[in-house]
PDB file of all heavy atoms in Angstrom:
ATOM      1  N   SER T  11     -15.568  -7.245 -21.601  1.00 94.00           N
ATOM      2  CA  SER T  11     -15.546  -7.523 -23.040  1.00 94.00           C
ATOM      3  C   SER T  11     -14.834  -6.408 -23.782  1.00 94.00           C
ATOM      4  O   SER T  11     -14.198  -6.639 -24.817  1.00 94.00           O
ATOM      5  CB  SER T  11     -16.979  -7.679 -23.558  1.00 94.00           C
ATOM      6  OG  SER T  11     -17.660  -8.723 -22.890  1.00 94.00           O
ATOM      7  N   ALA T  12     -14.948  -5.185 -23.247  1.00 96.00           N
ATOM      8  CA  ALA T  12     -14.282  -4.017 -23.827  1.00 96.00           C
ATOM      9  C   ALA T  12     -14.264  -2.916 -22.782  1.00 96.00           C
ATOM     10  O   ALA T  12     -14.977  -2.967 -21.778  1.00 96.00           O
ATOM     11  CB  ALA T  12     -15.006  -3.547 -25.084  1.00 96.00           C
ATOM     12  N   GLY T  13     -13.424  -1.901 -23.009  1.00 96.00           N
ATOM     13  CA  GLY T  13     -13.358  -0.767 -22.106  1.00 96.00           C
ATOM     14  C   GLY T  13     -12.207  -0.851 -21.127  1.00 96.00           C
ATOM     15  O   GLY T  13     -11.399  -1.783 -21.168  1.00 96.00           O
ATOM     16  N   GLU T  14     -12.145   0.141 -20.223  1.00 95.00           N
ATOM     17  CA  GLU T  14     -11.014   0.260 -19.313  1.00 95.00           C
ATOM     18  C   GLU T  14     -11.481   0.465 -17.875  1.00 95.00           C
ATOM     19  O   GLU T  14     -12.526   1.063 -17.628  1.00 95.00           O
ATOM     20  CB  GLU T  14     -10.121   1.441 -19.719  1.00 95.00           C
ATOM     21  CG  GLU T  14      -9.567   1.354 -21.127  1.00 95.00           C
ATOM     22  CD  GLU T  14      -8.752   2.577 -21.502  1.00 95.00           C
ATOM     23  OE1 GLU T  14      -8.449   3.390 -20.599  1.00 95.00           O
ATOM     24  OE2 GLU T  14      -8.427   2.723 -22.689  1.00 95.00           O
ATOM     25  N   ILE T  15     -10.674  -0.043 -16.947  1.00 95.00           N
ATOM     26  CA  ILE T  15     -10.875   0.168 -15.513  1.00 95.00           C
ATOM     27  C   ILE T  15      -9.556   0.658 -14.936  1.00 95.00           C
ATOM     28  O   ILE T  15      -8.524  -0.008 -15.084  1.00 95.00           O
ATOM     29  CB  ILE T  15     -11.305  -1.121 -14.795  1.00 95.00           C
ATOM     30  CG1 ILE T  15     -12.588  -1.693 -15.400  1.00 95.00           C
ATOM     31  CG2 ILE T  15     -11.488  -0.851 -13.301  1.00 95.00           C
ATOM     32  CD1 ILE T  15     -12.991  -3.029 -14.804  1.00 95.00           C
ATOM     33  N   HIS T  16      -9.582   1.825 -14.278  1.00 95.00           N
ATOM     34  CA  HIS T  16      -8.370   2.382 -13.683  1.00 95.00           C
ATOM     35  C   HIS T  16      -8.604   2.640 -12.197  1.00 95.00           C
ATOM     36  O   HIS T  16      -9.635   3.185 -11.800  1.00 95.00           O
ATOM     37  CB  HIS T  16      -7.979   3.693 -14.370  1.00 95.00           C
ATOM     38  CG  HIS T  16      -7.553   3.504 -15.790  1.00 95.00           C
ATOM     39  ND1 HIS T  16      -6.239   3.364 -16.155  1.00 95.00           N
ATOM     40  CD2 HIS T  16      -8.272   3.422 -16.938  1.00 95.00           C
ATOM     41  CE1 HIS T  16      -6.156   3.205 -17.475  1.00 95.00           C
ATOM     42  NE2 HIS T  16      -7.384   3.233 -17.968  1.00 95.00           N
ATOM     43  N   LEU T  17      -7.636   2.232 -11.377  1.00 95.00           N
ATOM     44  CA  LEU T  17      -7.641   2.506  -9.945  1.00 95.00           C
ATOM     45  C   LEU T  17      -6.436   3.379  -9.649  1.00 95.00           C
ATOM     46  O   LEU T  17      -5.293   2.964  -9.861  1.00 95.00           O
ATOM     47  CB  LEU T  17      -7.569   1.207  -9.147  1.00 95.00           C
ATOM     48  CG  LEU T  17      -7.573   1.360  -7.627  1.00 95.00           C
ATOM     49  CD1 LEU T  17      -8.932   1.858  -7.148  1.00 95.00           C
ATOM     50  CD2 LEU T  17      -7.218   0.038  -6.947  1.00 95.00           C
ATOM     51  N   ASP T  18      -6.692   4.599  -9.191  1.00 92.00           N
ATOM     52  CA  ASP T  18      -5.610   5.561  -8.945  1.00 92.00           C
ATOM     53  C   ASP T  18      -4.727   5.711 -10.186  1.00 92.00           C
ATOM     54  O   ASP T  18      -3.500   5.828 -10.086  1.00 92.00           O
ATOM     55  CB  ASP T  18      -4.761   5.137  -7.749  1.00 92.00           C
ATOM     56  CG  ASP T  18      -5.519   5.265  -6.441  1.00 92.00           C
ATOM     57  OD1 ASP T  18      -6.286   6.232  -6.296  1.00 92.00           O
ATOM     58  OD2 ASP T  18      -5.350   4.390  -5.568  1.00 92.00           O
ATOM     59  N   GLY T  19      -5.354   5.661 -11.354  1.00 91.00           N
ATOM     60  CA  GLY T  19      -4.627   5.825 -12.605  1.00 91.00           C
ATOM     61  C   GLY T  19      -3.985   4.565 -13.137  1.00 91.00           C
ATOM     62  O   GLY T  19      -3.437   4.563 -14.243  1.00 91.00           O
ATOM     63  N   ARG T  20      -4.066   3.472 -12.391  1.00 92.00           N
ATOM     64  CA  ARG T  20      -3.450   2.207 -12.803  1.00 92.00           C
ATOM     65  C   ARG T  20      -4.446   1.371 -13.591  1.00 92.00           C
ATOM     66  O   ARG T  20      -5.592   1.170 -13.161  1.00 92.00           O
ATOM     67  CB  ARG T  20      -2.999   1.430 -11.565  1.00 92.00           C
ATOM     68  CG  ARG T  20      -2.404   0.065 -11.865  1.00 92.00           C
ATOM     69  CD  ARG T  20      -2.149  -0.697 -10.572  1.00 92.00           C
ATOM     70  NE  ARG T  20      -1.610  -2.024 -10.811  1.00 92.00           N
ATOM     71  CZ  ARG T  20      -1.431  -2.937  -9.870  1.00 92.00           C
ATOM     72  NH1 ARG T  20      -1.742  -2.643  -8.599  1.00 92.00           N
ATOM     73  NH2 ARG T  20      -0.952  -4.122 -10.165  1.00 92.00           N
ATOM     74  N   ASP T  21      -4.039   0.860 -14.727  1.00 93.00           N
ATOM     75  CA  ASP T  21      -4.880   0.010 -15.561  1.00 93.00           C
ATOM     76  C   ASP T  21      -5.069  -1.339 -14.864  1.00 93.00           C
ATOM     77  O   ASP T  21      -4.107  -2.064 -14.622  1.00 93.00           O
ATOM     78  CB  ASP T  21      -4.216  -0.178 -16.929  1.00 93.00           C
ATOM     79  CG  ASP T  21      -5.124  -0.894 -17.932  1.00 93.00           C
ATOM     80  OD1 ASP T  21      -6.170  -1.434 -17.522  1.00 93.00           O
ATOM     81  OD2 ASP T  21      -4.776  -0.901 -19.130  1.00 93.00           O
ATOM     82  N   MET T  22      -6.327  -1.668 -14.517  1.00 94.00           N
ATOM     83  CA  MET T  22      -6.615  -2.887 -13.764  1.00 94.00           C
ATOM     84  C   MET T  22      -7.085  -4.040 -14.646  1.00 94.00           C
ATOM     85  O   MET T  22      -7.401  -5.111 -14.143  1.00 94.00           O
ATOM     86  CB  MET T  22      -7.679  -2.596 -12.695  1.00 94.00           C
ATOM     87  CG  MET T  22      -7.287  -1.514 -11.709  1.00 94.00           C
ATOM     88  SD  MET T  22      -5.805  -1.919 -10.737  1.00 94.00           S
ATOM     89  CE  MET T  22      -6.431  -3.242  -9.701  1.00 94.00           C
ATOM     90  N   ARG T  23      -7.157  -3.830 -15.952  1.00 86.00           N
ATOM     91  CA  ARG T  23      -7.592  -4.900 -16.839  1.00 86.00           C
ATOM     92  C   ARG T  23      -6.640  -6.091 -16.759  1.00 86.00           C
ATOM     93  O   ARG T  23      -5.438  -5.935 -16.594  1.00 86.00           O
ATOM     94  CB  ARG T  23      -7.672  -4.402 -18.279  1.00 86.00           C
ATOM     95  CG  ARG T  23      -8.809  -3.421 -18.548  1.00 86.00           C
ATOM     96  CD  ARG T  23      -8.742  -2.867 -19.953  1.00 86.00           C
ATOM     97  NE  ARG T  23      -7.531  -2.069 -20.152  1.00 86.00           N
ATOM     98  CZ  ARG T  23      -7.213  -1.488 -21.308  1.00 86.00           C
ATOM     99  NH1 ARG T  23      -7.983  -1.633 -22.364  1.00 86.00           N
ATOM    100  NH2 ARG T  23      -6.102  -0.771 -21.387  1.00 86.00           N
ATOM    101  N   ARG T  24      -7.228  -7.264 -16.863  1.00 85.00           N
ATOM    102  CA  ARG T  24      -6.483  -8.528 -16.858  1.00 85.00           C
ATOM    103  C   ARG T  24      -5.858  -8.848 -15.505  1.00 85.00           C
ATOM    104  O   ARG T  24      -5.053  -9.765 -15.386  1.00 85.00           O
ATOM    105  CB  ARG T  24      -5.413  -8.552 -17.961  1.00 85.00           C
ATOM    106  CG  ARG T  24      -6.012  -8.511 -19.368  1.00 85.00           C
ATOM    107  CD  ARG T  24      -4.942  -8.501 -20.425  1.00 85.00           C
ATOM    108  NE  ARG T  24      -4.171  -7.267 -20.402  1.00 85.00           N
ATOM    109  CZ  ARG T  24      -4.572  -6.131 -20.985  1.00 85.00           C
ATOM    110  NH1 ARG T  24      -5.739  -6.084 -21.624  1.00 85.00           N
ATOM    111  NH2 ARG T  24      -3.827  -5.052 -20.934  1.00 85.00           N
ATOM    112  N   LEU T  25      -6.213  -8.096 -14.465  1.00 90.00           N
ATOM    113  CA  LEU T  25      -5.736  -8.398 -13.125  1.00 90.00           C
ATOM    114  C   LEU T  25      -6.810  -9.167 -12.351  1.00 90.00           C
ATOM    115  O   LEU T  25      -8.001  -8.930 -12.519  1.00 90.00           O
ATOM    116  CB  LEU T  25      -5.363  -7.122 -12.375  1.00 90.00           C
ATOM    117  CG  LEU T  25      -4.208  -6.301 -12.956  1.00 90.00           C
ATOM    118  CD1 LEU T  25      -3.936  -5.089 -12.091  1.00 90.00           C
ATOM    119  CD2 LEU T  25      -2.945  -7.157 -13.093  1.00 90.00           C
ATOM    120  N   SER T  26      -6.391 -10.077 -11.493  1.00 90.00           N
ATOM    121  CA  SER T  26      -7.313 -10.922 -10.735  1.00 90.00           C
ATOM    122  C   SER T  26      -7.987 -10.149  -9.608  1.00 90.00           C
ATOM    123  O   SER T  26      -7.572  -9.035  -9.241  1.00 90.00           O
ATOM    124  CB  SER T  26      -6.550 -12.102 -10.142  1.00 90.00           C
ATOM    125  OG  SER T  26      -5.626 -11.641  -9.161  1.00 90.00           O
ATOM    126  N   ALA T  27      -9.018 -10.768  -9.034  1.00 89.00           N
ATOM    127  CA  ALA T  27      -9.674 -10.166  -7.873  1.00 89.00           C
ATOM    128  C   ALA T  27      -8.699 -10.023  -6.712  1.00 89.00           C
ATOM    129  O   ALA T  27      -8.751  -9.046  -5.957  1.00 89.00           O
ATOM    130  CB  ALA T  27     -10.877 -11.011  -7.457  1.00 89.00           C
ATOM    131  N   ARG T  28      -7.800 -10.982  -6.561  1.00 88.00           N
ATOM    132  CA  ARG T  28      -6.780 -10.901  -5.508  1.00 88.00           C
ATOM    133  C   ARG T  28      -5.889  -9.686  -5.721  1.00 88.00           C
ATOM    134  O   ARG T  28      -5.538  -8.978  -4.766  1.00 88.00           O
ATOM    135  CB  ARG T  28      -5.946 -12.184  -5.504  1.00 88.00           C
ATOM    136  CG  ARG T  28      -4.942 -12.279  -4.357  1.00 88.00           C
ATOM    137  CD  ARG T  28      -4.147 -13.575  -4.451  1.00 88.00           C
ATOM    138  NE  ARG T  28      -3.158 -13.684  -3.388  1.00 88.00           N
ATOM    139  CZ  ARG T  28      -3.368 -14.246  -2.218  1.00 88.00           C
ATOM    140  NH1 ARG T  28      -4.553 -14.750  -1.936  1.00 88.00           N
ATOM    141  NH2 ARG T  28      -2.410 -14.327  -1.315  1.00 88.00           N
ATOM    142  N   ALA T  29      -5.526  -9.430  -6.982  1.00 90.00           N
ATOM    143  CA  ALA T  29      -4.702  -8.252  -7.286  1.00 90.00           C
ATOM    144  C   ALA T  29      -5.467  -6.964  -7.004  1.00 90.00           C
ATOM    145  O   ALA T  29      -4.892  -5.972  -6.557  1.00 90.00           O
ATOM    146  CB  ALA T  29      -4.237  -8.293  -8.739  1.00 90.00           C
ATOM    147  N   HIS T  30      -6.788  -6.971  -7.257  1.00 91.00           N
ATOM    148  CA  HIS T  30      -7.608  -5.799  -6.943  1.00 91.00           C
ATOM    149  C   HIS T  30      -7.622  -5.552  -5.437  1.00 91.00           C
ATOM    150  O   HIS T  30      -7.564  -4.399  -4.992  1.00 91.00           O
ATOM    151  CB  HIS T  30      -9.035  -6.006  -7.457  1.00 91.00           C
ATOM    152  CG  HIS T  30      -9.210  -5.776  -8.918  1.00 91.00           C
ATOM    153  ND1 HIS T  30      -8.625  -6.577  -9.878  1.00 91.00           N
ATOM    154  CD2 HIS T  30      -9.902  -4.823  -9.609  1.00 91.00           C
ATOM    155  CE1 HIS T  30      -8.955  -6.130 -11.084  1.00 91.00           C
ATOM    156  NE2 HIS T  30      -9.714  -5.072 -10.945  1.00 91.00           N
ATOM    157  N   ALA T  31      -7.697  -6.632  -4.640  1.00 89.00           N
ATOM    158  CA  ALA T  31      -7.674  -6.482  -3.189  1.00 89.00           C
ATOM    159  C   ALA T  31      -6.335  -5.929  -2.727  1.00 89.00           C
ATOM    160  O   ALA T  31      -6.272  -5.068  -1.852  1.00 89.00           O
ATOM    161  CB  ALA T  31      -7.960  -7.830  -2.522  1.00 89.00           C
ATOM    162  N   ARG T  32      -5.247  -6.442  -3.324  1.00 88.00           N
ATOM    163  CA  ARG T  32      -3.924  -5.924  -2.979  1.00 88.00           C
ATOM    164  C   ARG T  32      -3.819  -4.441  -3.280  1.00 88.00           C
ATOM    165  O   ARG T  32      -3.139  -3.696  -2.576  1.00 88.00           O
ATOM    166  CB  ARG T  32      -2.848  -6.671  -3.780  1.00 88.00           C
ATOM    167  CG  ARG T  32      -2.511  -8.055  -3.298  1.00 88.00           C
ATOM    168  CD  ARG T  32      -1.170  -8.480  -3.858  1.00 88.00           C
ATOM    169  NE  ARG T  32      -0.940  -9.903  -3.690  1.00 88.00           N
ATOM    170  CZ  ARG T  32      -1.146 -10.814  -4.631  1.00 88.00           C
ATOM    171  NH1 ARG T  32      -1.586 -10.436  -5.833  1.00 88.00           N
ATOM    172  NH2 ARG T  32      -0.919 -12.083  -4.396  1.00 88.00           N
ATOM    173  N   ALA T  33      -4.472  -4.016  -4.352  1.00 91.00           N
ATOM    174  CA  ALA T  33      -4.389  -2.622  -4.777  1.00 91.00           C
ATOM    175  C   ALA T  33      -5.227  -1.695  -3.908  1.00 91.00           C
ATOM    176  O   ALA T  33      -5.103  -0.475  -4.014  1.00 91.00           O
ATOM    177  CB  ALA T  33      -4.814  -2.500  -6.239  1.00 91.00           C
ATOM    178  N   GLY T  34      -6.095  -2.274  -3.054  1.00 92.00           N
ATOM    179  CA  GLY T  34      -6.845  -1.435  -2.125  1.00 92.00           C
ATOM    180  C   GLY T  34      -8.344  -1.419  -2.294  1.00 92.00           C
ATOM    181  O   GLY T  34      -9.020  -0.533  -1.775  1.00 92.00           O
ATOM    182  N   ILE T  35      -8.915  -2.402  -3.001  1.00 94.00           N
ATOM    183  CA  ILE T  35     -10.364  -2.490  -3.149  1.00 94.00           C
ATOM    184  C   ILE T  35     -10.894  -3.561  -2.203  1.00 94.00           C
ATOM    185  O   ILE T  35     -10.417  -4.693  -2.193  1.00 94.00           O
ATOM    186  CB  ILE T  35     -10.776  -2.829  -4.588  1.00 94.00           C
ATOM    187  CG1 ILE T  35     -10.235  -1.787  -5.567  1.00 94.00           C
ATOM    188  CG2 ILE T  35     -12.304  -2.903  -4.694  1.00 94.00           C
ATOM    189  CD1 ILE T  35     -10.587  -2.077  -7.019  1.00 94.00           C
ATOM    190  N   GLY T  36     -11.898  -3.203  -1.397  1.00 93.00           N
ATOM    191  CA  GLY T  36     -12.564  -4.154  -0.519  1.00 93.00           C
ATOM    192  C   GLY T  36     -13.990  -4.349  -0.958  1.00 93.00           C
ATOM    193  O   GLY T  36     -14.683  -3.380  -1.284  1.00 93.00           O
ATOM    194  N   ARG T  37     -14.466  -5.594  -0.967  1.00 92.00           N
ATOM    195  CA  ARG T  37     -15.764  -5.926  -1.546  1.00 92.00           C
ATOM    196  C   ARG T  37     -16.581  -6.790  -0.608  1.00 92.00           C
ATOM    197  O   ARG T  37     -16.065  -7.744  -0.029  1.00 92.00           O
ATOM    198  CB  ARG T  37     -15.499  -6.648  -2.878  1.00 92.00           C
ATOM    199  CG  ARG T  37     -16.615  -7.563  -3.402  1.00 92.00           C
ATOM    200  CD  ARG T  37     -17.554  -6.783  -4.277  1.00 92.00           C
ATOM    201  NE  ARG T  37     -18.031  -7.554  -5.408  1.00 92.00           N
ATOM    202  CZ  ARG T  37     -19.240  -8.115  -5.496  1.00 92.00           C
ATOM    203  NH1 ARG T  37     -20.080  -8.037  -4.479  1.00 92.00           N
ATOM    204  NH2 ARG T  37     -19.609  -8.747  -6.602  1.00 92.00           N
ATOM    205  N   THR T  38     -17.856  -6.450  -0.401  1.00 92.00           N
ATOM    206  CA  THR T  38     -18.782  -7.318   0.305  1.00 92.00           C
ATOM    207  C   THR T  38     -19.863  -7.766  -0.666  1.00 92.00           C
ATOM    208  O   THR T  38     -20.024  -7.210  -1.754  1.00 92.00           O
ATOM    209  CB  THR T  38     -19.437  -6.615   1.508  1.00 92.00           C
ATOM    210  OG1 THR T  38     -20.314  -5.578   1.031  1.00 92.00           O
ATOM    211  CG2 THR T  38     -18.391  -6.018   2.438  1.00 92.00           C
ATOM    212  N   PHE T  39     -20.637  -8.773  -0.229  1.00 89.00           N
ATOM    213  CA  PHE T  39     -21.632  -9.386  -1.098  1.00 89.00           C
ATOM    214  C   PHE T  39     -23.018  -9.306  -0.466  1.00 89.00           C
ATOM    215  O   PHE T  39     -23.163  -9.126   0.739  1.00 89.00           O
ATOM    216  CB  PHE T  39     -21.270 -10.848  -1.365  1.00 89.00           C
ATOM    217  CG  PHE T  39     -19.960 -11.016  -2.097  1.00 89.00           C
ATOM    218  CD1 PHE T  39     -18.758 -11.007  -1.402  1.00 89.00           C
ATOM    219  CD2 PHE T  39     -19.943 -11.158  -3.472  1.00 89.00           C
ATOM    220  CE1 PHE T  39     -17.548 -11.151  -2.070  1.00 89.00           C
ATOM    221  CE2 PHE T  39     -18.734 -11.302  -4.154  1.00 89.00           C
ATOM    222  CZ  PHE T  39     -17.536 -11.295  -3.447  1.00 89.00           C
ATOM    223  N   GLN T  40     -24.046  -9.462  -1.319  1.00 84.00           N
ATOM    224  CA  GLN T  40     -25.417  -9.411  -0.813  1.00 84.00           C
ATOM    225  C   GLN T  40     -25.635 -10.503   0.230  1.00 84.00           C
ATOM    226  O   GLN T  40     -26.246 -10.266   1.276  1.00 84.00           O
ATOM    227  CB  GLN T  40     -26.408  -9.581  -1.964  1.00 84.00           C
ATOM    228  CG  GLN T  40     -27.861  -9.472  -1.528  1.00 84.00           C
ATOM    229  CD  GLN T  40     -28.810  -9.449  -2.703  1.00 84.00           C
ATOM    230  OE1 GLN T  40     -28.407  -9.323  -3.855  1.00 84.00           O
ATOM    231  NE2 GLN T  40     -30.091  -9.587  -2.414  1.00 84.00           N
ATOM    232  N   ALA T  41     -25.146 -11.700  -0.035  1.00 85.00           N
ATOM    233  CA  ALA T  41     -25.154 -12.783   0.953  1.00 85.00           C
ATOM    234  C   ALA T  41     -23.735 -12.912   1.490  1.00 85.00           C
ATOM    235  O   ALA T  41     -22.818 -13.265   0.745  1.00 85.00           O
ATOM    236  CB  ALA T  41     -25.600 -14.088   0.315  1.00 85.00           C
ATOM    237  N   PRO T  42     -23.505 -12.573   2.766  1.00 86.00           N
ATOM    238  CA  PRO T  42     -22.143 -12.574   3.316  1.00 86.00           C
ATOM    239  C   PRO T  42     -21.422 -13.903   3.088  1.00 86.00           C
ATOM    240  O   PRO T  42     -21.997 -14.974   3.275  1.00 86.00           O
ATOM    241  CB  PRO T  42     -22.372 -12.316   4.806  1.00 86.00           C
ATOM    242  CG  PRO T  42     -23.686 -11.614   4.870  1.00 86.00           C
ATOM    243  CD  PRO T  42     -24.512 -12.195   3.770  1.00 86.00           C
ATOM    244  N   ARG T  43     -20.171 -13.830   2.692  1.00 89.00           N
ATOM    245  CA  ARG T  43     -19.353 -15.016   2.451  1.00 89.00           C
ATOM    246  C   ARG T  43     -18.425 -15.208   3.640  1.00 89.00           C
ATOM    247  O   ARG T  43     -17.343 -14.624   3.714  1.00 89.00           O
ATOM    248  CB  ARG T  43     -18.579 -14.860   1.145  1.00 89.00           C
ATOM    249  CG  ARG T  43     -19.494 -14.703  -0.065  1.00 89.00           C
ATOM    250  CD  ARG T  43     -18.727 -14.694  -1.368  1.00 89.00           C
ATOM    251  NE  ARG T  43     -19.631 -14.591  -2.505  1.00 89.00           N
ATOM    252  CZ  ARG T  43     -19.239 -14.623  -3.783  1.00 89.00           C
ATOM    253  NH1 ARG T  43     -17.945 -14.733  -4.074  1.00 89.00           N
ATOM    254  NH2 ARG T  43     -20.123 -14.533  -4.765  1.00 89.00           N
ATOM    255  N   LEU T  44     -18.888 -16.037   4.561  1.00 94.00           N
ATOM    256  CA  LEU T  44     -18.160 -16.271   5.803  1.00 94.00           C
ATOM    257  C   LEU T  44     -17.819 -17.753   5.947  1.00 94.00           C
ATOM    258  O   LEU T  44     -18.350 -18.602   5.234  1.00 94.00           O
ATOM    259  CB  LEU T  44     -19.008 -15.829   7.009  1.00 94.00           C
ATOM    260  CG  LEU T  44     -19.587 -14.416   6.980  1.00 94.00           C
ATOM    261  CD1 LEU T  44     -20.481 -14.209   8.195  1.00 94.00           C
ATOM    262  CD2 LEU T  44     -18.477 -13.383   6.948  1.00 94.00           C
ATOM    263  N   PHE T  45     -16.954 -18.052   6.915  1.00 93.00           N
ATOM    264  CA  PHE T  45     -16.651 -19.422   7.295  1.00 93.00           C
ATOM    265  C   PHE T  45     -17.454 -19.718   8.556  1.00 93.00           C
ATOM    266  O   PHE T  45     -17.042 -19.372   9.667  1.00 93.00           O
ATOM    267  CB  PHE T  45     -15.150 -19.595   7.533  1.00 93.00           C
ATOM    268  CG  PHE T  45     -14.316 -19.296   6.317  1.00 93.00           C
ATOM    269  CD1 PHE T  45     -13.734 -18.042   6.160  1.00 93.00           C
ATOM    270  CD2 PHE T  45     -14.132 -20.258   5.336  1.00 93.00           C
ATOM    271  CE1 PHE T  45     -12.968 -17.759   5.039  1.00 93.00           C
ATOM    272  CE2 PHE T  45     -13.369 -19.977   4.204  1.00 93.00           C
ATOM    273  CZ  PHE T  45     -12.793 -18.730   4.055  1.00 93.00           C
ATOM    274  N   ALA T  46     -18.619 -20.356   8.374  1.00 94.00           N
ATOM    275  CA  ALA T  46     -19.560 -20.535   9.476  1.00 94.00           C
ATOM    276  C   ALA T  46     -18.976 -21.350  10.619  1.00 94.00           C
ATOM    277  O   ALA T  46     -19.333 -21.142  11.781  1.00 94.00           O
ATOM    278  CB  ALA T  46     -20.843 -21.187   8.965  1.00 94.00           C
ATOM    279  N   GLY T  47     -18.075 -22.296  10.307  1.00 95.00           N
ATOM    280  CA  GLY T  47     -17.520 -23.154  11.337  1.00 95.00           C
ATOM    281  C   GLY T  47     -16.326 -22.578  12.062  1.00 95.00           C
ATOM    282  O   GLY T  47     -15.783 -23.221  12.970  1.00 95.00           O
ATOM    283  N   LEU T  48     -15.917 -21.368  11.679  1.00 95.00           N
ATOM    284  CA  LEU T  48     -14.803 -20.696  12.345  1.00 95.00           C
ATOM    285  C   LEU T  48     -15.338 -19.590  13.245  1.00 95.00           C
ATOM    286  O   LEU T  48     -16.448 -19.085  13.054  1.00 95.00           O
ATOM    287  CB  LEU T  48     -13.845 -20.095  11.317  1.00 95.00           C
ATOM    288  CG  LEU T  48     -13.145 -21.065  10.365  1.00 95.00           C
ATOM    289  CD1 LEU T  48     -12.198 -20.292   9.442  1.00 95.00           C
ATOM    290  CD2 LEU T  48     -12.394 -22.153  11.121  1.00 95.00           C
ATOM    291  N   SER T  49     -14.531 -19.191  14.194  1.00 95.00           N
ATOM    292  CA  SER T  49     -14.931 -18.095  15.079  1.00 95.00           C
ATOM    293  C   SER T  49     -14.888 -16.771  14.333  1.00 95.00           C
ATOM    294  O   SER T  49     -14.343 -16.673  13.227  1.00 95.00           O
ATOM    295  CB  SER T  49     -13.998 -18.027  16.291  1.00 95.00           C
ATOM    296  OG  SER T  49     -12.709 -17.563  15.896  1.00 95.00           O
ATOM    297  N   VAL T  50     -15.476 -15.773  14.952  1.00 95.00           N
ATOM    298  CA  VAL T  50     -15.450 -14.424  14.372  1.00 95.00           C
ATOM    299  C   VAL T  50     -14.009 -13.984  14.127  1.00 95.00           C
ATOM    300  O   VAL T  50     -13.671 -13.486  13.045  1.00 95.00           O
ATOM    301  CB  VAL T  50     -16.175 -13.442  15.329  1.00 95.00           C
ATOM    302  CG1 VAL T  50     -15.904 -11.995  14.929  1.00 95.00           C
ATOM    303  CG2 VAL T  50     -17.675 -13.728  15.323  1.00 95.00           C
ATOM    304  N   TRP T  51     -13.141 -14.184  15.120  1.00 94.00           N
ATOM    305  CA  TRP T  51     -11.748 -13.766  14.977  1.00 94.00           C
ATOM    306  C   TRP T  51     -11.023 -14.574  13.908  1.00 94.00           C
ATOM    307  O   TRP T  51     -10.232 -14.045  13.132  1.00 94.00           O
ATOM    308  CB  TRP T  51     -11.021 -13.882  16.302  1.00 94.00           C
ATOM    309  CG  TRP T  51      -9.562 -13.513  16.240  1.00 94.00           C
ATOM    310  CD1 TRP T  51      -8.505 -14.319  16.490  1.00 94.00           C
ATOM    311  CD2 TRP T  51      -9.016 -12.231  15.892  1.00 94.00           C
ATOM    312  NE1 TRP T  51      -7.316 -13.622  16.323  1.00 94.00           N
ATOM    313  CE2 TRP T  51      -7.612 -12.341  15.958  1.00 94.00           C
ATOM    314  CE3 TRP T  51      -9.586 -11.005  15.540  1.00 94.00           C
ATOM    315  CZ2 TRP T  51      -6.770 -11.279  15.674  1.00 94.00           C
ATOM    316  CZ3 TRP T  51      -8.735  -9.940  15.258  1.00 94.00           C
ATOM    317  CH2 TRP T  51      -7.354 -10.081  15.321  1.00 94.00           C
ATOM    318  N   GLU T  52     -11.327 -15.879  13.837  1.00 93.00           N
ATOM    319  CA  GLU T  52     -10.708 -16.722  12.820  1.00 93.00           C
ATOM    320  C   GLU T  52     -11.125 -16.310  11.415  1.00 93.00           C
ATOM    321  O   GLU T  52     -10.347 -16.471  10.463  1.00 93.00           O
ATOM    322  CB  GLU T  52     -11.042 -18.188  13.078  1.00 93.00           C
ATOM    323  CG  GLU T  52     -10.320 -18.769  14.290  1.00 93.00           C
ATOM    324  CD  GLU T  52     -10.834 -20.128  14.697  1.00 93.00           C
ATOM    325  OE1 GLU T  52     -12.008 -20.450  14.372  1.00 93.00           O
ATOM    326  OE2 GLU T  52     -10.086 -20.869  15.355  1.00 93.00           O
ATOM    327  N   ASN T  53     -12.325 -15.787  11.273  1.00 94.00           N
ATOM    328  CA  ASN T  53     -12.748 -15.272   9.971  1.00 94.00           C
ATOM    329  C   ASN T  53     -11.909 -14.070   9.563  1.00 94.00           C
ATOM    330  O   ASN T  53     -11.564 -13.915   8.385  1.00 94.00           O
ATOM    331  CB  ASN T  53     -14.238 -14.908   9.997  1.00 94.00           C
ATOM    332  CG  ASN T  53     -15.128 -16.051   9.583  1.00 94.00           C
ATOM    333  OD1 ASN T  53     -15.505 -16.186   8.424  1.00 94.00           O
ATOM    334  ND2 ASN T  53     -15.479 -16.894  10.545  1.00 94.00           N
ATOM    335  N   ILE T  54     -11.578 -13.227  10.523  1.00 93.00           N
ATOM    336  CA  ILE T  54     -10.705 -12.085  10.230  1.00 93.00           C
ATOM    337  C   ILE T  54      -9.340 -12.581   9.761  1.00 93.00           C
ATOM    338  O   ILE T  54      -8.783 -12.110   8.755  1.00 93.00           O
ATOM    339  CB  ILE T  54     -10.542 -11.186  11.468  1.00 93.00           C
ATOM    340  CG1 ILE T  54     -11.878 -10.549  11.869  1.00 93.00           C
ATOM    341  CG2 ILE T  54      -9.488 -10.099  11.214  1.00 93.00           C
ATOM    342  CD1 ILE T  54     -12.405  -9.516  10.899  1.00 93.00           C
TER     343      ILE T  54
END
């Protein structure tokens, strides 16, 4: 709603989660978000 977020000095506002991942942020969740019907390697 207001304020700033900077990653390595770069303004990250208005950037998507995909752009955050490209920039080097990795995120996990309390309930893992996996593809249950795929193999472990296919999930990677």
